[in-house]
Amino acid sequence: AQSVTQPDIHITVSEGASLELRCNYSYGATPYLFWYVQSPGQGLQLLLKYFSGDTLVQGIKGFEAEFKRSQSSFNLRKPSVHWSDAAEYFCAVLIYGNKLVFGAGTILRVKS
Amino acid sequence: DVKVTQSSRYLVKRTGEKVFLECVQDMDHENMFWYRQDPGLGLRLIYFSYDVKMKEKGDIPEGYSVSREKKERFSLILESASTNQTSMYLCASTHVRGGGGEDNEQFFGPGTRLTVL
C-alpha cells in the first residue's frame, strides 16, 4: 500500500542553522511528491513539488528538496533557518485519482 | 489566486448533534476533498468528489457523509457527532482528475477546528 514516512516527529534547530527534514515514500509507480507547511492555526501551504525532471526542486521561502529514487526519499532542506520557519511540515505523495497520502508530519522548533 | 474557504474556523457541538462543515472554492475545480488532521497521524482522507453529485469514500468515511450539489461547494456532514470526531477538518480542491502535471496541486482551506462535547 502507498505510504509516506516522516521519521522525525519533532526537530529543534538553532536560528541560522541548516535544516533537513526526512521523508520516505512507498509507491509503485513514478511518484509525484509534495512538501506542505502548516503554521499554527493555519491551513496547508505548498512549499514545493516534484513531478519529473531535475531531482533537486526549489520551492518558496528558500526551501529545496531532493528526490532520490534509489532511496525512495524526498528530503526537505534549508541552508539557514529563520524563527518564522517554526511550523509543522508534511510530506505527501500523489496516488491514483488525484488523492494525496500524507506523512504524520514533523514539528519544527527554532531556538534563538 | 485560488481561494478555498471554510464556513467556520472554530466550532463547538454536543454529542449527537448533526454538524455541517462547508467548503467553497472559487477556481472552478472539479475535485474536492475533505481531510481530518490529528496529531501524530497527519491528514487522512474522509471523502472526495470528482464532480457535482459524485462522491467517493476515502480512508476513514465512517460516521461522515458529504454533499456536492454545486461545483464550488462541498459539504461534510456528521450525522450524529461523537467525541472521537473532535479534530481539525481541512478541505482541499484541485483541477484535474487523474493524469499528471502541474494541475495536480491541491489547494487547502484554513481548516475548521471542531470540538464535540
Side-chain angles (χ1 to χ4, degrees), chain A residues 32 34 36 38 41-44 46 49 51 88 90 94 96-100 102-105, chain B residues 9 31 33 37 40 42-43 45 48 50 90 96-98 100-102 104-106 108-110:
Chain A
Y32 293 161
F34 303 78
Y36 282 88
Q38 185 180 37
Q42 304 297 314
L44 272 68
L46 181 70
K49 55 193 174 187
F51 288 125
E88 189 162 15
F90 293 95
L94 187 76
Y96 67 92
N98 257 327
K99 293 183 284 185
L100 285 174
F102 285 86
Chain B
R9 294 299 302 273
N31 308 323
F33 306 82
Q37 180 184 2
L43 280 74
L45 183 64
F48 58 103
Y50 290 131
L90 291 162
V96 175
R97 177 181 181 177
E102 300 296 307
N104 290 102
E105 177 183 345
Q106 288 191 16
F108 283 82

Side-chain angles (χ1 to χ4, degrees), chain B residues 6 21 31 40 42 45 53-54 56 63 65 80 93-94 99:
Chain B
Q6 295 183 228
L21 303 183
N31 308 323
L45 183 64
K53 297 193 185 295
M54 294 183 68
E56 291 194 29
S65 62
S80 178
S93 72
T94 191

